[in-house]
Amino acid sequence: MLGYTIGRQCYDLYHNGDAVRFRRGLIMIIVMQENATQQDVEDVVKRIKDFGYSTRILSGEFRTVVAALGDARDKARLQALESLKHVESVMPILKPYKLCSREVRAENSIIDVKGVKIGGDKLVVMAGPCSVESKEQLIETGKSVLASGAAILRGGAFKPRTSPYSFQGMEEEGLKLLKEVSEATGMPFVTEVMNPRDVELVHKYTDIMQIGARNVQNFSLLKEVGKMEKPILLKRGLATTIDEWLMSAEYILSEGNNKVILCERGIRTFENATRNTLDLSAIPVVKEKSHLPIIIDPSHGAGYWQYVAPMALAAVAAGADGLMIEVHWKPEEAFSDGPQSLKPPKFEALMKNVRKVAEAVGRSV
Ligand code: PEP
Ligand code: MN
């Protein structure tokens, strides 16, 4: 896998006769006409490649956009493509994040996870324990969140813990349990990958790969998951600005994986009454800047179960595309994040209110 990346970089390097650091210096987008056929798109892609650029195709409901990545000094050649019959316009993307920006794609991206669509009118709730601890714990929690209306099961098998002496997760054993419970309940699942070395392993089992807050700027990890097929849930870091977070998403998209779901989970501020400060203003800001879906994790944001439900409802009201909620059948015995985990009856009550708020803002669950 690594060899391929290096190979690709060299290809661009030799082809353009330019330095590697210019490889992705520019992104122009070539907006196809609404009536352009697959053949027209392929023709444009071939021309762009012949100029020495690499391409990414972003297909929308009405039109296709081809992004050309390469050296800024050749941009006049790209601009000339505007004279082709099936090309509507050619324009440079000026924002630092490009493939994930609204400029490239005006419509919202909808990410399909085994039929569960994230980013559409229907909200998607992901729920489950912080850590996978045992089969019994996972199956009981999984069945209860499914009955309350969750669409995706969550659970950590590789845990990023502040202390090396805390529980580090069940690793592959945990992935196997997640797969088993996912199959038994029919819910796809999301789980974290912490290390580039484990990407293939986690990818083999999971339906969505989670990049945790602490790894949001682990660029080697972002590049690895960007080469994979499955959707990526990218958490915001404890101290990353929205622009930095979108740049991290850009790393994944620039490797070819367009299926990124953003997840705000609280940032670190001077406030210590809550574990983090949940930045709900990230929702409208991200919606303006990017076409990617954004979900909210009020569990890590608040840090205490009492505050989780109000923040979850506020997130839905503010336009979130979904929620990630930690639920544990026995929070007092949890190996991690017990204080912020809801018991199944509390989660059920929350889901009832989520439905009401969703309806009030024109969404469903
Ligand atoms: C988690 O989802 O369990 C987790 C560790 O989240 P974060 O990376 O947001 O702290
Ligand atoms: Mn947790």
Side-chain angles (χ1 to χ4, degrees):
M1 189 150 299
L2 191 64
Y4 175 62
T5 306
I6 291 167
R8 224 168 33 174
Q9 284 179 349
C10 289
Y11 168 80
D12 283 338
L13 173 66
Y14 297 132
H15 198 103
N16 293 334
D18 210 337
V20 166
R21 70 193 157 91
F22 290 127
R23 186 171 69 104
R24 290 179 179 159
L26 171 82
I27 294 211
M28 298 277 274
I29 57 163
I30 293 84
V31 183
M32 303 297 296
Q33 296 277 13
E34 254 185 67
N35 59 4
T37 62
Q38 175 84 10
Q39 186 54 46
D40 299 327
V41 175
E42 278 167 23
D43 172 56
V44 165
V45 166
K46 184 175 180 313
R47 286 168 190 266
I48 298 170
K49 285 188 172 157
D50 286 347
F51 294 157
Y53 287 83
S54 51
T55 55
R56 298 282 180 276
I57 298 176
L58 294 117
S59 314
E61 198 181 337
F62 301 110
R63 63 183 84 234
T64 297
V65 163
V66 183
L69 295 79
D71 180 357
R73 284 173 297 175
D74 264 347
K75 70 176 176 209
R77 304 178 78 186
L78 290 175
Q79 204 77 57
L81 295 177
E82 224 164 36
S83 58
L84 290 174
K85 189 158 149 257
H86 296 292
V87 171
E88 187 179 277
S89 58
V90 176
M91 34 185 191
I93 299 299
L94 303 172
K95 292 259 165 43
Y97 40 87
K98 299 171 192 294
L99 297 173
C100 67
S101 85
R102 276 257 182 234
E103 284 179 83
V104 160
R105 186 184 161 93
E107 324 148 42
N108 292 333
S109 279
I110 297 179
I111 292 157
D112 192 317
V113 186
K114 287 187 165 166
V116 178
K117 293 192 169 58
I118 306 171
D121 286 343
K122 203 165 177 213
L123 297 183
V124 173
V125 179
M126 309 182 183
C130 178
S131 301
V132 178
E133 299 165 5
S134 69
K135 184 166 173 180
E136 201 185 11
Q137 170 239 21
L138 196 60
I139 191 85
E140 289 309 316
T141 313
K143 280 196 298 200
S144 76
V145 298
L146 173 69
S148 302
I152 291 181
L153 176 69
R154 67 142 286 149
F158 292 91
K159 295 304 303 177
R161 306 306 301 281
T162 303
S163 164
Y165 308 117
S166 302
F167 175 62
Q168 303 286 307
M170 290 179 75
E171 304 188 343
E172 189 166 3
E173 213 42 51
L175 297 175
K176 286 185 179 154
L177 288 180
L178 280 161
K179 181 118 191 123
E180 198 181 321
V181 174
S182 161
E183 278 166 6
T185 55
M187 274 188 292
F189 73 98
V190 53
T191 197
E192 179 163 355
V193 58
M194 286 169 54
N195 194 318
R197 203 175 53 213
D198 298 325
V199 166
E200 300 248 5
L201 175 76
V202 176
H203 193 263
K204 195 171 88 184
Y205 288 95
T206 198
D207 301 305
I208 306 176
M209 304 184 104
Q210 175 171 324
I211 301 295
R214 290 154 193 84
N215 269 320
V216 67
Q217 289 189 317
N218 181 338
F219 302 117
S220 335
L221 180 62
L222 298 177
K223 285 189 202 168
E224 279 311 302
V225 298
K227 290 180 204 131
M228 308 308 277
E229 279 291 311
K230 292 182 178 165
I232 310 299
L233 185 131
L234 179 65
K235 290 233 183 165
R236 182 177 178 184
L238 281 74
T240 38
T241 64
I242 293 172
D243 275 0
E244 286 165 342
W245 183 22
L246 291 173
M247 288 309 293
S248 293
E250 189 73 18
Y251 262 91
I252 301 172
L253 271 76
S254 75
E255 290 295 331
N257 189 342
N258 295 337
K259 291 169 262 169
V260 175
I261 304 146
L262 299 165
C263 177
E264 157 67 38
R265 46 76 73 205
I267 51 176
R268 185 161 283 182
T269 69
F270 55 83
E271 182 54 69
N272 57 14
T274 47
R275 180 175 175 185
N276 291 288
T277 297
L278 189 65
D279 180 13
L280 291 183
S281 48
I283 301 168
V285 175
V286 162
K287 288 274 168 211
E288 183 180 83
K289 290 174 179 250
S290 175
H291 53 85
L292 296 175
I294 173 170
I295 70 160
I296 296 292
D297 167 358
S299 305
H300 292 88
Y304 300 96
W305 70 266
Q306 307 90 296
Y307 310 141
V308 171
M311 297 315 290
L313 298 178
V316 175
D321 295 307
L323 298 167
M324 173 178 264
I325 313 270
E326 285 187 341
V327 179
H328 199 287
W329 68 329
K330 295 174 185 167
E332 60 288 350
E333 290 175 20
F335 292 0
S336 62
D337 289 349
Q340 69 194 32
S341 301
L342 297 185
K343 287 186 187 164
K346 287 266 187 287
F347 178 68
E348 191 186 359
L350 167 61
M351 287 300 285
K352 288 196 176 125
N353 289 330
V354 164
R355 274 185 205 102
K356 289 185 204 155
V357 178
E359 206 173 302
V361 293
R363 313 278 294 256
S364 61
V365 186

